[in-house]
Amino acid sequence: MFDRLEITVLPPGPRFPAQLRVWVNGEDVVEHAVGPGGRGPLAAEALPVGLPGPLRATSEPRRVRLGEPECTGGCCGFLSVVVQRVGNVVQWSGWEGPRPEDRPVEFDFGAEEYDAEVARAEADHGWRFPA
């Protein structure tokens, strides 16, 4: 059985531009791992227009930053994970984060479903504002 990924974008707020939130199996991974008030990566960086985003999985493992605590990642550390495609599975493993006791476990996603969710998030530009 594979884990279920959902990618959302929080609209811009008083302190931060639009940011990415990642849900796995119905749980907000960022909030769980960095605490309330933490933030995800900037949506514009995580979901770039016309380029493959950092969440795209390839056979080459890549460390992806997914969040930081309210005090900033420079203070307490960033939440990051290694994303890699292994056959028909996308693995998230090797978590690093500011609260070691709250780091997520390894997640395995069906590659087709994973690719579809990342493509859906990359194609949804509703959170962008005109310059």
Side-chain angles (χ1 to χ4, degrees), residues 11 16 18-19 26-28 37 40 43 45-46 50 55 57 63 79 88 98 114 119:
F16 300 110
Q19 61 181 284
E27 182 174 17
D28 183 332
E45 294 172 2
L55 291 173
R63 182 159 294 281
L79 174 66
N88 66 348
Y114 181 92

Side-chain angles (χ1 to χ4, degrees), residues 7-12 17-20 41-49 120-130:
I7 300 169
T8 60
V9 175
L10 299 181
Q19 61 181 284
L20 193 75
L42 300 180
E45 294 172 2
L47 303 170
V49 175
R120 183 205 59 76
E122 288 175 342
D124 180 2
H125 301 287
W127 55 269
R128 294 183 186 273
F129 295 103

Side-chain angles (χ1 to χ4, degrees), residues 46-66:
L47 303 170
V49 175
L51 299 170
L55 291 173
R56 289 284 177 169
T58 68
S59 59
E60 185 71 29
R62 177 177 52 257
R63 182 159 294 281
V64 176
R65 190 180 291 173
L66 292 180

